[in-house]
Amino acid sequence: MTKKIFAAAAMAASALSLAAAPMVAEAQTRQRVLVCDGKVKKKANTGTIVGAVAGGVLGNAVAGNGAKTEGTVLGAGVGAVVGHQVAKKKAKKKNCHYEYVRR
């Protein structure tokens, strides 16, 4: 009699563990992925150009008398980086979303 009870308990425990195993594995295989359309890169490149031009003009205006070229180059470099980052961030807000995928 005790062998039958032990066997029944073992079967029930193994059935529960098999039922729970796919749920645990399924939960670990889902990942959150950022999905963007093709406009993000184009808008970031446009921001780079606009930032470089604006930075160059501002650098030229702020630079001293003998350092106009250096001020223009430095301003264009800083403006390009800032313009790229601002445009990329704005484009991602508008053209990207998260999706959950199984892997």
Side-chain angles (χ1 to χ4, degrees):
M1 179 78 172
T2 57
K3 287 184 179 179
K4 285 185 180 181
I5 293 173
F6 181 71
M11 293 284 269
S14 66
L16 287 175
S17 67
L18 288 176
M23 287 187 237
V24 172
E26 184 177 303
Q28 293 175 351
T29 59
R30 290 181 54 183
Q31 291 184 336
R32 191 172 121 170
V33 177
L34 184 65
V35 178
C36 302
D37 62 5
K39 295 179 184 177
V40 174
K41 189 172 184 179
K42 183 177 179 183
K43 289 187 183 240
N45 289 341
T46 303
T48 303
I49 294 168
V50 170
V53 171
V57 170
L58 186 64
N60 191 352
V62 173
N65 288 336
K68 294 285 188 185
T69 304
E70 291 85 357
T72 303
V73 171
L74 185 62
V78 171
V81 171
V82 171
H84 180 77
Q85 294 301 319
V86 169
K88 183 172 71 172
K89 187 173 182 179
K90 283 186 178 183
K92 277 190 177 181
K93 274 187 179 177
K94 292 180 183 179
N95 301 316
C96 297
H97 63 279
Y98 284 100
E99 290 182 1
Y100 288 94
V101 295
R102 296 183 190 266
R103 295 202 177 199

